[in-house]
C-alpha cells in the first residue's frame, strides 16, 4: 500500500462516513468506524467539517475517543476540545495514559484545566498534579508514570507477577527496571530475559547494571539525542535522588525529533510556530508578519545605505545592475555555512567549543568558492560591459562578501547557542537581512574607493 | 548529566586515551576502553587523528569493532574502512547484524565489496546477496533478516522455544510475528503476551490479526510515516506474495527521520549532501558550489533585466534604492509559503491533490500580509523622499510581489512532488533566485508604466 493508494482508501472511507452523517445513521456509522484504527480515525476527523467532526467524535466511547484525540493535529484538536463539554472531556481524560492526559489538560485554558482536574477521579487527578508542573519540553513533560519496576533481590517469577498486575495499565512494555530499597534505579532487564530465564533465578544475577537514564529536568532535545545515540526503545527518568519516577517511550521521542526538525525548518523559512494543519488567515499571518516586517526595515536600511552612495551611482549607473547578484552571493554563502552548523548543533556533532575549528573549515571553503565565483563574475562583467576595471572590482566584492558571509554564517549560530538562543534563527531572514545590508555596503565602499 | 557535562566527560576520556596511545600502552588502553559503550567509543574515534584512530580500532575484537563502526559518522567511517585490510574487514562484517553488514559492504567500491563477500562465511554472504540488491532508501534496504516468526497453529511454549533458539541472533526483540503454512504474515504477538499466557495456549487465539506491515519495495519515507502514524516499534516487511521477509526496527526509522530532515534542511540551505563531520575542503566546496554558481547566473540575468530599464534608472536614480527591499520581500514570502508546504509533504499532512486548497489559504494570507507591508513601505518611501507617487508605486510593487511569491512558493513544491522531484528544492536558492529576477521585473515594469 503506497501513499497514493492509502490516500484513495482514505478518500473512500471519508465518503462512506459522510454518507452516514448525512443520513444521521449513528448505528451504521458506529459499525463502519469499529474496525478503523485510532490514527486513521484521527486523519478522518481532520478532513471533516467541525459539525460533522463533533457528531462522529461523540459516537466513540471515552477510551477510543481519547486515543483518537491524542493522534489528531494540534489546530484541529484545539477546536474539538473547545466544542466538548466538561463532562465528556473529563470522561476522556480519565481513560488516557497519564502523559497524554497531562498534555491535553496542560493545553487547556487554566480555569478549564482546573475544572477538569476537579472532575476526574482521585488517582488521575493526583497523576495530573504530579506531571503538570514539568515544562512541556522537559523529560518530566514527556514521561509517563506507567512502568514496571522490580527489586534487585526479587526473582524472575516475582517480575512476571508484577508485569501481570500491570498488564492492562502499561502499554508498550519491553523492559522492566530494577530498583533498590530506596527506589533508586540500579538495572534493566528485557522481557526477552524474563521469558527465557527460570522462574527462581534472581533478578540481580541477570539484570544489566549499565542502564542509561535521563534526569526529569533534562531538556527534551538532550533526551532525544541520548535515545538516538544509544538506540533506546524506552528510557527511564530519575529525580535528583536517582529514584525512578517515570519512563519515556520511543514514540514520544520520535515526536520530539519531528517537532524539533519542524521548528528548525520553520525558523529557517521565516515562519514562527505555524502548525501545518492551520487554516486561520489571522494565525498564519501572525506567524509570518514579524519576519516580513523585519525584512522590510532591513530593506529600508539597505535603501539608506545605497542613498549615501548616490553620487557614485549617478556617475556609473551600471553599479546598480549588480546589487541582486552580490546580495544573493552573500545570502547563499551565509545560509550554507549556517545550515551545516545549525544541523550539527541539533544532532550534537558540533558544539560551541568547536568555534575555532569550524571557522577554519569554513574559511578554507570560502576562499575556494569565493575565488571561483569572483573569477567567473568578474570575467562576465568585464566582457559584457567591456569594462575590465568594473569587472575586477565586482569580482573583488564577491570574494570579500563570500569570505565575510561564510564567517558570519558560522559564528552567529555558535554564539546564539552559547547565549542560549535558538541557533536556527541564524539561518532565517534575520541573518539574510543583515547580510544583504553588509554585502551592499562592502560593494559600494569598494567601488567608491577603487573606481 | 547534561550535554555540557557529557562533553567534559568525553574530553577527559579523550585525554586519557591519548595518553595511552602516546605511550603505546595497548594493555592499559584495552582496559580503559573495556567499559565504554560502543556509541561513546564511536564519538571518541571521531575525535582522534587517523593514525591514533586505527591504533585504537585495531585493539577491539571484531564484534565490538563492528558495533562501533556502525555508530561512527559516515566521513570518518569511510576513511577508517579504506585503512582496514580485507582480512580484518571480513572478520568484522562476519559479526555484524545482516542489515548493518549490507550497509557497510554496499558502501564499498564494487570490487572491494566483491572481495569481502567472497571472504565471509557462506551464511553471511548469502544474507548479503539477498539484501544488497534493494535500494538503500527502500524498506528492503533498511530491513534486517533477523526476526522471530511462529505458525498460527503453534502454542505459547513453541513460541518461547523459538525465541530461545534465536536468543543470541535476534537483538531488540519485542514482538514475534505469526505466519501461515506459506510463510504469509497473518498476525502479531507481543512478548508481554508470551510471558502472561499459559504455555499450552494456541497462538491463533491470542495473536492480533490486525498487523501493520510494509512492502519490501516501499520508499523509506513511506515506512517512516507509517511507523510514526501507528507508533510501531518494529514493522514487518513482506514481499509481493505477502510472505514475511524481514523487519525494520525503530532505531533504523529514527535514522531515516533524522536523515530526511537533514536532507530537507540541507537543500533549503543550498547544501547538497554535505555530511556534518566532513572536513575536506574539496568535498564541502563541491557540495556548495553548484548553488552558488546557479545564484551567480541568476544574478547575471537579474543584472540584464535591470540593464533593460537603464533609461528609467537614469531618470530616477532613487529607483535602485528599493531593489534590496523588494527582492527580500519576494524571497521571504516565497520561502515562508514553500517551507510550510515542504514540511507538510514530508509529514504526509499535505498532498499534491490539496493544491487548490493550499493556494486559497496562501492567497488570503498574502493579501493580508501584502497590504500591511505595502502600506508600511509606501508610507516610509513617500515621507522619506517626499515623493508620494514613488511611494505608491513601490507599495503596489510590494503587494504584487508578495501575492505572486506566495503563489509560486505554494505551487512549486506541490508540482515538484507530483513530478517526483524532491520538493525541498523549492525552498532553496533555485526558487529564491528566480523570485529575485521576477521581483525586479515586476517592480521595474510597474515603475516604467506608472511613472
Amino acid at each position: 500500500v503506497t501513499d497514493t493508494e492509502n490516500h484513495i482508501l482514505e478518500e473512500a472511507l471519508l465518503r462512506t462516513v459522510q454518507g452516514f452523517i448525512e443520513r444521521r445513521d449513528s448505528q451504521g456509522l458506529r459499525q463502519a468506524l469499529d474496525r478503523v484504527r485510532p490514527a486513521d480515525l484521527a486523519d478522518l476527523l481532520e478532513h471533516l467539517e467541525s459539525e460533522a467532526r463533533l457528531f462522529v467524535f461523540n459516537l466513540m466511547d471515552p477510551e477510543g475517543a481519547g486515543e483518537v484525540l491524542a493522534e489528531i493535529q494540534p489546530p484541529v484538536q484545539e477546536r474539538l476540545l473547545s466544542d466538548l463539554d466538561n463532562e465528556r472531556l473529563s470522561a476522556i481524560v480519565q481513560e488516557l495514559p497519564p502523559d497524554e492526559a497531562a498534555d491535553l489538560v496542560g493545553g487547556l485554558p487554566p480555569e478549564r484545566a482546573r475544572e477538569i482536574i476537579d472532575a476526574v477521579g482521585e488517582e488521575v487527578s493526583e497523576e495530573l498534579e504530579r506531571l503538570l508542573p514539568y515544562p512541556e519540553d522537559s523529560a518530566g513533560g514527556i514521561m509517563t508514570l506507567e512502568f514496571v519496576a522490580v527489586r534487585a533481590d526479587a526473582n524472575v517469577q516475582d517480575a512476571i507477577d508484577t508485569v501481570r498486575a500491570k498488564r492492562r495499565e502499561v502499554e508498550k512494555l519491553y523492559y522492566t527496571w530494577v530498583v533498590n530499597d530506596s527506589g533508586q534505579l540500579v538495572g534493566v532487564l528485557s522481557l526477552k530475559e524474563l521469558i527465557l530465564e527460570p522462574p527462581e533465578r534472581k533478578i540481580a544475577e541477570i539484570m544489566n547494571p549499565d542502564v542509561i537514564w535521563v534526569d526529569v529536568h533534562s531538556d527534551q532535545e538532550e533526551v532525544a539525542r541520548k535515545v538516538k545515540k544509544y538506540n533506546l526503545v524506552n528510557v527511564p527518568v530519575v529525580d535528583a535522588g536517582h529514584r525512578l519516577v517515570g519512563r519515556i517511550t520511543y514514540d514520544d521521542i520520535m515526536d520530539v525529533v519531528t517537532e524539533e526538525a519542524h521548528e528548525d525548518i520553520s525558523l529557517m523559512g521565516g515562519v514562527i510556530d505555524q502548525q501545518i494543519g492551520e487554516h486561520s488567515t489571522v494565525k498564519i499571518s501572525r506567524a509570518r508578519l514579524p519576519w516580513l516586517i523585519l525584512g522590510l526595515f532591513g530593506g529600508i536600511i539597505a535603501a539608506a545605505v545605497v542613498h549615501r552612495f548616490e553620487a557614485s551611482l549617478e556617475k556609473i549607473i551600471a553599479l546598480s545592475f549588480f546589487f541582486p547578484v552580490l546580495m544573493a552571493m552573500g545570502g547563499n554563502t551565509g545560509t550554507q555555512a549556517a545550515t551545516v552548523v545549525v544541523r550539527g548543533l541539533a544532532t550534537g556533532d558540533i558544539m560551541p567549543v568547536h568555534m575555532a575549528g569550524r571557522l577554519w573549515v569554513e574559511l578554507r571553503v570560502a576562499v575556494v568558492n569565493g575565488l571561483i565565483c569572483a573569477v567567473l563574475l568578474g570575467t562576465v562583467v568585464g566582457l559584457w560591459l567591456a569594462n575590465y576595471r568594473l569587472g575586477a572590482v565586482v569580482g573583488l566584492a564577491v570574494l570579500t562578501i563570500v569570505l565575510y558571509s561564510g564567517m558570519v554564517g558560522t559564528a552567529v549560530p555558535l554564539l546564539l547557542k552559547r547565549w542560549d538562543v535558538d541557533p536556527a534563527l541564524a539561518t532565517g531572514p534575520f541573518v539574510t537581512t543583515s547580510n544583504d545590508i553588509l554585502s551592499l555596503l562592502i560593494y559600494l565602499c569598494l567601488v567608491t574607493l577603487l573606481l
Side-chain angles (χ1 to χ4, degrees), chain A:
Chain A
V1 188
T2 66
D3 280 359
T4 321
E5 287 165 346
N6 230 326
H7 178 70
I8 294 167
L9 289 173
E10 279 172 21
E11 291 279 302
L13 178 66
L14 184 61
R15 247 166 288 131
T16 314
V17 167
Q18 277 165 337
F20 282 119
I21 295 172
E22 272 159 36
R23 296 194 297 277
R24 297 272 139 186
D25 179 356
S26 313
Q27 185 73 24
L29 190 53
R30 219 180 252 125
Q31 271 172 8
L33 296 183
D34 204 33
R35 273 173 312 174
V36 182
R37 301 179 186 113
D40 293 317
L41 278 175
D43 276 358
L44 178 77
L45 289 185
E46 286 166 10
H47 288 103
L48 290 174
E49 297 299 318
S50 53
E51 203 189 329
R53 185 188 297 141
L54 199 60
F55 179 74
V56 175
F57 190 77
N58 278 331
L59 290 180
M60 301 176 196
D61 64 273
E63 196 182 340
E67 284 177 54
V68 171
L69 206 52
E71 297 288 334
I72 236 162
Q73 284 191 40
V76 182
Q77 192 193 63
E78 206 179 300
R79 265 170 282 163
L80 197 51
L81 285 177
S82 66
D83 286 342
L84 295 178
D85 59 36
N86 277 358
E87 197 186 335
R88 170 83 174 151
L89 186 52
S90 353
I92 290 171
V93 168
Q94 183 78 39
E95 297 296 330
L96 279 174
D99 56 332
E100 285 172 14
D103 286 346
L104 214 62
V105 175
L108 295 173
E111 200 168 314
R112 189 156 187 225
R114 197 68 260 159
E115 289 165 12
I116 300 296
I117 294 171
D118 292 339
V120 293
E122 199 181 334
E123 198 191 337
V124 175
S125 73
E126 256 172 37
E127 287 172 341
L128 285 175
E129 302 276 12
R130 269 171 67 195
L131 284 175
L132 283 172
Y134 294 110
E136 223 185 323
D137 58 356
S138 70
I142 54 173
M143 74 178 181
T144 179
L145 300 170
E146 295 172 336
F147 56 83
V148 172
V150 292
R151 296 269 293 277
D153 54 7
N155 63 27
V156 168
Q157 187 57 49
D158 300 330
I160 292 178
D161 292 343
T162 315
V163 171
R164 191 179 307 277
K166 298 218 175 186
R167 177 175 198 166
R168 292 268 156 262
E169 188 188 328
V170 185
E171 289 177 338
K172 295 165 201 144
L173 178 67
Y174 313 113
Y175 289 97
T176 76
W177 283 297
V178 187
V179 292
N180 64 14
D181 293 355
S182 326
Q184 289 170 317
L185 181 68
V186 295
V188 61
L189 193 65
S190 77
L191 290 201
K192 185 167 89 170
E193 310 295 326
L194 279 192
I195 289 183
L196 300 180
E197 296 291 340
E200 64 284 356
R201 188 82 185 261
K202 279 269 172 288
I203 297 296
E205 291 166 17
I206 52 172
M207 74 179 192
N208 178 1
D210 181 29
V211 48
I212 295 163
W213 48 270
V214 296
D215 185 275
V216 71
H217 296 293
S218 302
D219 185 87
Q220 63 175 7
E221 277 192 78
E222 258 179 59
V223 177
R225 270 199 286 279
K226 213 172 232 184
V227 166
K228 277 198 284 185
K229 181 170 176 185
Y230 298 109
N231 297 327
L232 308 174
V233 66
N234 268 198
V235 61
V237 183
V238 300
D239 65 10
H242 208 69
R243 281 178 300 267
L244 184 63
V245 292
R247 72 171 169 144
I248 299 172
T249 54
Y250 63 94
D251 51 327
D252 290 322
I253 294 299
M254 195 76 90
D255 291 343
V256 170
V257 171
T258 312
E259 193 185 312
E260 300 285 349
H262 179 69
E263 277 179 24
D264 279 2
I265 291 177
S266 296
L267 273 182
M268 278 179 74
V271 179
I272 307 163
D273 199 25
Q274 183 195 328
Q275 303 288 351
I276 292 163
E278 186 61 68
H279 283 98
S280 143
T281 309
V282 174
K283 282 195 183 166
I284 299 181
S285 169
R286 214 156 47 194
R288 302 193 191 170
L289 211 46
W291 285 130
L292 289 182
I293 290 179
L294 183 83
L296 199 79
F297 281 98
I300 292 172
I301 296 174
V305 168
V306 178
H307 180 236
R308 299 252 325 157
F309 292 88
E310 200 171 355
S312 309
L313 276 171
E314 267 170 5
K315 261 179 245 155
I316 317 171
I317 203 86
L319 289 182
S320 69
F321 299 176
F322 306 107
F323 290 172
V325 71
L326 295 169
M327 286 165 61
M329 294 309 291
N332 290 350
T333 310
T335 306
Q336 288 180 334
T339 301
V340 173
V341 175
V342 168
R343 272 315 284 164
L345 286 168
T347 60
D349 291 319
I350 295 178
M351 305 196 76
V353 292
H354 300 147
M355 174 85 88
R358 287 306 313 171
L359 283 173
W360 175 230
V361 170
E362 290 294 336
L363 184 66
R364 285 171 359 223
V365 173
V367 168
V368 172
N369 288 355
L371 280 175
I372 293 174
C373 292
V375 169
L376 260 173
L377 187 63
T379 311
V380 170
V381 171
L383 289 174
W384 177 28
L385 299 176
N387 183 344
Y388 295 96
R389 214 183 149 115
L390 181 60
V393 173
V394 170
L396 184 61
V398 166
L399 179 60
T400 317
I401 289 168
V402 166
L403 284 175
Y404 151 82
S405 309
M407 296 300 99
V408 168
T410 310
V412 171
L414 289 169
L415 290 174
L416 289 181
K417 178 76 181 181
R418 209 174 272 180
W419 299 328
D420 251 339
V421 180
D422 192 333
L425 278 178
T427 48
F430 182 64
V431 164
T432 318
T433 304
S434 59
N435 261 3
D436 277 359
I437 299 170
L438 277 153
S439 298
L440 281 172
L441 196 61
I442 289 172
Y443 170 53
L444 289 167
C445 283
L446 281 174
V447 160
T448 310
L449 279 172
L450 300 174
L451 285 184

